[in-house]
Amino acid sequence: MSLKEDPTFNIYSERSSFKWIVLAISVVISASSIVYTSQLVQKIRARESKQIALYAKTLEYLSHEEELPNAVFILEEIVDANNTIPVIVANEYGEPDFYKNIPKADGISDPAKRKEFLLNEIQEMRDQHEPILVTLADQGQILGYLTIYYKNSQLLAQLKYYPYIQLSVIAIFGLIVFAVFNYSRTAEQNRVWVGMAKETAHQLGTPLSSLLAWTEYFKEQFPDHRDVFLELEKDVDRLEMITERFSNIGSVPQLREENVPDVVTEVVKYLQKRISRKVSIEIETFPSDDILGALNRSLFAWVIENIIKNAVDAMGGVGSIHVKIMKVSEGMVSIDISDTGKGIAKNRIKQVFEPGFTTKKRGWGLGLTLTKRIVENYHGGKIFVKSSEVDKGTTFRILLKT
Ligand SMILES: Nc1ncnc2c1ncn2[C@@H]1O[C@H](COP(=O)(O)OP(=O)(O)OP(=O)(O)O)[C@@H](O)[C@H]1O
Ligand SMILES: [Mg+2]
């Protein structure tokens, strides 16, 4: 079974549906938490209104009683049982006679100022709840009127905002966990890449130097077969270049000012001999042939090689590839590589850079992942699919600093 048939390897499509499931669950949790709390708020609000209505009733009843003690005093006694709902009792002139559970008013010592504060408070209470009018009467004789104003208890006020606070805290916590998780995953990926590359370069090194020595030896021993050994030497050189690439991936590569068209031309020359003759590759430079960019020659050659190889694959070996190198602005070079191949479907464009994504029988889906790493991590540049149309072709764009 190849890696691609292995269901555990195809993590990308699963990961995106997983994201939606997590999102759906969080929406359901948030919505139900808000609905539940708002029901709770409704219930408590109704209970508080009932409580105040009961005070009013008691007050009214007391006023019918013989030997009516000071009504306000009694109210105070009753309302004492309530130590949560802020209440103000005003007389028939609208002046506050008595208040309860308004700690701010307690803090104001000047009576005039306190009265002003309470009058403001009455306005606010009126917006929240309909005030209750109490008629004080004794044996059919009206003694006076009182108005009871009240507002939501602090508990209720807090409860109203509670789900939002709770959800924000959970969201912040979730974001932090996600960031840490993401960071550690990236760090782990980096370690794997760097470690694998270093190890590969290291392992290739020993047989390579021995191969090199052997070809030298045979070249001298068998001068008649020099041609063969020259060919062999070319392959050894290529192996050496591959080792250098891996060793560069495994360390912090040196960037140098290089002429970008030169590097690209070199790669194209090398590839042209090895790909189908029905593929033409042309290079265009703008505004001139001299376009400098800060790059690591061996790694950057790898980038161009990967993209051109993909282009050749996409065209099935027949078509044309156009490389356009431009100085787009001060300090910025762009390299556009266009092909006339089968293109990439819109919904796949995002995936082409992900490790393991391939549509080829013999592909590993690592070419573009590596390419992106080299361009972005090692050169501080950018690479993306500039445009692609199914059955028409694709353009990849690389942006490099100079
Ligand atoms: N120029 C292109 N035109 C159309 N599709 C492309 C092009 N370049 C890349 N792709 C798509 O992106 C996929 C991933 O490319 P990538 O180079 O990462 O892997 P690969 O070529 O499949 O395998 P390998 O690891 O051998 O390079 C390809 O399989 C192909 O479907
Ligand atoms: Mg490839």
Side-chain angles (χ1 to χ4, degrees):
M1 185 163 74
S2 90
L3 212 48
K4 274 165 287 157
E5 289 159 27
D6 180 353
T8 55
F9 201 64
N10 186 17
I11 47 175
Y12 292 99
S13 54
E14 273 167 33
R15 200 163 66 188
S16 67
S17 57
F18 179 69
K19 213 158 54 188
W20 288 112
I21 293 170
V22 169
L23 194 72
I25 292 175
S26 349
V27 168
V28 170
I29 292 176
S30 314
S32 41
S33 157
I34 290 171
V35 168
Y36 177 72
T37 327
S38 83
Q39 278 173 355
L40 214 61
V41 165
Q42 290 298 330
K43 273 186 201 157
I44 297 180
R45 196 182 144 96
R47 190 184 292 177
E48 287 186 357
S49 296
K50 238 185 203 162
Q51 210 176 338
I52 296 297
L54 185 70
Y55 295 152
K57 281 262 162 59
T58 317
L59 189 58
E60 226 161 31
Y61 170 76
L62 282 173
S63 73
H64 299 295
E65 284 289 290
E66 284 291 309
E67 293 169 32
L68 179 76
N70 187 332
V72 175
F73 171 75
I74 288 193
L75 179 68
E76 195 169 346
E77 285 300 303
I78 300 160
V79 173
D80 250 351
N82 156 36
N83 44 26
T84 52
I85 309 166
V87 198
I88 298 175
V89 180
N91 60 24
E92 54 230 70
Y93 308 108
E95 287 168 343
D97 267 353
F98 163 77
Y99 68 88
K100 182 95 206 285
N101 299 325
I102 308 176
K104 256 194 192 159
D106 293 332
I108 304 171
S109 48
D110 181 359
K113 276 197 180 143
R114 189 191 300 155
K115 189 176 162 190
E116 195 186 331
F117 174 80
L118 288 173
L119 286 173
N120 269 331
E121 201 74 352
I122 284 177
Q123 283 302 326
E124 211 180 287
M125 289 172 165
R126 220 208 296 248
D127 290 342
Q128 268 190 23
H129 293 275
E130 191 65 27
I132 301 172
L133 195 69
V134 180
T135 313
L136 303 175
D138 186 21
Q139 291 173 344
Q141 195 194 345
I142 291 174
L143 302 173
Y145 300 98
L146 291 177
T147 318
I148 303 177
Y149 298 95
Y150 65 105
K151 68 176 182 182
N152 296 340
S153 67
Q154 217 174 1
L155 171 78
L156 195 57
Q158 280 170 357
L159 204 59
K160 262 183 162 173
Y161 298 110
Y162 176 71
Y164 300 101
I165 295 167
Q166 185 192 31
L167 291 175
S168 322
V169 169
I170 292 174
I172 291 167
F173 178 71
L175 281 178
I176 291 172
V177 168
F178 178 75
V180 168
F181 178 71
N182 224 14
Y183 173 79
S184 70
R185 207 184 52 181
T186 315
E188 187 182 300
Q189 277 177 0
N190 282 342
R191 276 202 302 276
V192 172
W193 273 104
V194 168
M196 281 290 285
K198 256 190 191 156
E199 181 62 17
T200 309
H202 179 73
Q203 298 238 5
L204 278 173
T206 328
L208 200 58
S209 40
S210 129
L211 259 180
L212 208 67
W214 279 112
T215 39
E216 282 304 313
Y217 173 77
F218 284 131
K219 226 164 42 182
E220 277 168 26
Q221 287 289 309
F222 306 98
D224 298 349
H225 298 289
R226 226 183 128 74
D227 293 357
V228 176
F229 295 114
L230 279 179
E231 277 309 304
L232 247 180
E233 212 168 44
K234 269 191 202 159
D235 283 331
V236 174
D237 281 351
R238 172 78 183 160
L239 270 175
E240 237 178 348
M241 189 183 77
I242 293 170
T243 311
E244 193 191 334
R245 286 175 178 178
F246 277 110
S247 130
N248 271 323
I249 280 279
S251 58
V252 182
Q254 294 286 313
L255 302 187
R256 273 208 216 105
E257 282 277 283
E258 303 264 11
N259 192 21
V260 182
D262 277 359
V263 183
V264 175
T265 309
E266 201 181 285
V267 178
V268 168
K269 264 191 187 153
Y270 171 80
L271 283 176
Q272 211 137 35
K273 279 183 259 165
R274 284 159 180 83
I275 57 175
S276 150
R277 284 205 191 159
K278 290 179 192 146
V279 172
S280 67
I281 307 177
E282 55 176 300
I283 302 172
E284 185 191 354
T285 55
F286 184 86
S288 69
D289 279 350
D290 282 325
I291 301 172
L292 296 179
L295 50 90
N296 178 288
R297 236 184 139 97
S298 88
L299 287 184
F300 192 70
W302 205 356
V303 165
I304 302 296
E305 211 180 290
N306 273 329
I307 297 176
I308 290 183
K309 275 185 178 165
N310 279 347
V312 172
D313 290 344
M315 301 189 299
V318 187
S320 60
I321 297 171
H322 188 96
V323 185
K324 192 173 181 187
I325 306 165
M326 284 185 296
K327 189 168 177 166
V328 276
S329 65
E330 217 31 70
M332 189 70 89
V333 179
S334 85
I335 301 136
D336 289 356
I337 301 166
S338 313
D339 63 57
T340 55
K342 62 179 163 59
I344 308 167
K346 276 222 156 51
N347 58 342
R348 292 227 158 128
I349 286 184
K350 262 173 121 180
Q351 291 175 28
V352 296
F353 293 103
E354 293 182 350
F357 176 78
T358 183
T359 52
K360 299 172 195 169
K361 265 199 165 146
R362 287 161 169 266
W364 285 105
L366 286 179
L368 285 178
T369 312
L370 182 76
T371 300
K372 194 179 170 78
R373 276 188 79 80
I374 294 176
V375 172
E376 301 193 345
N377 295 21
Y378 295 78
H379 287 86
K382 276 224 150 322
I383 178 166
F384 50 92
V385 177
K386 187 174 167 244
S387 62
S388 186
E389 214 174 312
V390 172
D391 291 332
K392 291 253 169 74
T394 306
T395 300
F396 277 86
R397 170 167 277 190
I398 301 168
L399 290 175
L400 269 191
K401 292 181 201 151
T402 54

